[in-house]
Amino acid sequence: MDVGERRTAEEPRLAIRRESRSARSRRSFLLTFLPLLAAVLTGTTVLAVSGNILLPLERVVTLEGKMASKRDFFEDEEVQRILLKHHLRVHITSSGSREVAVRDISSYDFVFPSGQPAGDLITAERAAADQYAKVHRPFVSPIVLATYREYAETLADAGIATAQRGSGAEPPYYYVLDMRKFLQHIHDRRRWNDIGVQRHGITNANRIVAQTPDVCGSNSAGTYLALVAFTWHGGGDEVPDTDREADERGRDIRHLMEQGLPAADVFRTYVSPEGKNIAPLVVAYEHQYLAYQVRHRATSRRLDPQRVLLYPSGQFVTQPQFIALNKDGDRLGELITHDPELRRRAMELGFRILDQAGQVAGDQLTGFLRERRVPVPAIDGDDTRSEMPRLRYLERMISAVGDCPPADVVTGQP
């Protein structure tokens, strides 16, 4: 054997094995299937933890509702999660509370006006037409005036506001507003510069006013109107009890009211960066401010020191009314009134939840605010409770102030 033959015999031969079609198929299957399996397992775990494991297998009922500021509750992600556990989903149409009362609501399962006057309009009309209407009252929220620290301190310097000291916060976040003195300054057409706002680092030549939503559509504006009328005419039993008197009262206080911002935008304008320049003092609900400060503390680890509240010396505690317009709506009303998770979440959103007797339920909100290191307001102010006019006369006052037709009120309804 020669040298060439030996070398040929000694060289190894490498054989390349082709991957079989079946092996390629298995690998492709695993690359596709394993991520899908991981996603399914993750989704199943999330559903199990949230209590919604069976939701894909059960029908979820979508309810249509119409409301104003109380939409904050149903737009909350945690509320939506809890409702899904009960196989319910809610779609909200935003509208001022009085607008809810005077418009057609036949296509809705429920409405949720922010106060009793608008609720009474709806229930009276449906009772007269023999239509379904069941009322639930899950929580309350007082009317407040939201402003900025410079304006609150200016009012305090002028003897119009007094800082609440009971909350333990320094500087204070809550003040009691002397409504009579405040309205007198509006009546006298005083301007912010006239009472020394410049001493707090800003200047404002505009008149002193409290900005409200459109009184023809908003419960907060209508409630504030009633408070203004009550205060301006001396309190006590000074509420109108004839059509003529109501018309006169409305015309008499018209110059004390400043309105025009859409109902849904007033508080959002207040918390926006431009709010101080657009409307430095607005009518709002307590729960909106408390929920804002809780969120601000959670995201920035501190309170917003610039935004504060004024509690009117006379108070109307508004009574939001959830009005079910059919059986499905009633089921939702029962849940938000009695379900422990939903009641707790309402409290976490700043509402004062009610007990079975319709009274504010203990001090849950106080404890929650303290846990979140948000100052607790002293709600009672000077313990004055202003009397709301009868619905018929309130409607006539709203018409006189807002140049809108009074809603039809069923004779004999309060």
Side-chain angles (χ1 to χ4, degrees), residues 47 52-60 84 87:
L47 286 172
N52 297 326
I53 186 67
L54 297 179
L55 277 180
L57 306 177
E58 301 188 25
R59 185 173 71 94
V60 174
L84 276 176
H87 321 301

Side-chain angles (χ1 to χ4, degrees), residues 193-260:
N193 284 347
D194 295 339
I195 63 171
V197 74
Q198 306 96 318
R199 291 193 295 271
H200 296 279
I202 60 176
T203 182
N204 189 337
N206 293 323
R207 289 174 50 221
I208 299 170
V209 294
Q211 184 79 56
T212 75
D214 180 7
V215 73
C216 294
S218 165
N219 177 78
S220 63
T223 302
Y224 180 71
L225 177 154
L227 176 59
V228 168
F230 175 86
T231 305
W232 192 241
H233 289 92
D237 296 325
E238 297 297 323
V239 293
D241 56 10
T242 67
D243 288 352
R244 179 179 177 179
E245 196 172 74
D247 295 341
E248 290 175 350
R249 293 285 175 86
R251 290 191 294 267
D252 192 34
I253 65 170
R254 184 170 179 168
H255 70 292
L256 302 174
M257 300 283 294
E258 183 73 17
Q259 53 169 320

Side-chain angles (χ1 to χ4, degrees), residues 1-11:
M1 181 181 297
D2 59 23
V3 175
E5 290 176 341
R6 286 197 302 272
R7 287 178 178 172
T8 299
E10 293 170 356
E11 290 176 355

Side-chain angles (χ1 to χ4, degrees), residues 13 31 63 187 190 211 232 250 358 395 403:
R13 295 183 178 181
L31 289 174
L63 302 182
H187 175 75
R190 302 291 299 279
Q211 184 79 56
W232 192 241
E395 280 297 308
D403 286 328

Side-chain angles (χ1 to χ4, degrees), residues 26-78:
R26 284 194 300 272
R27 186 170 65 180
S28 176
F29 172 75
L30 290 174
L31 289 174
T32 303
F33 175 74
L34 288 177
L36 289 175
L37 178 61
V40 170
L41 291 174
T42 300
T44 302
T45 302
V46 170
L47 286 172
V49 170
S50 66
N52 297 326
I53 186 67
L54 297 179
L55 277 180
L57 306 177
E58 301 188 25
R59 185 173 71 94
V60 174
V61 177
T62 298
L63 302 182
E64 295 289 336
K66 194 173 187 181
M67 66 194 71
S69 64
K70 303 308 175 278
R71 75 187 186 283
D72 298 343
F73 177 76
F74 289 103
E75 290 177 349
D76 177 68
E77 291 184 359
E78 179 65 11

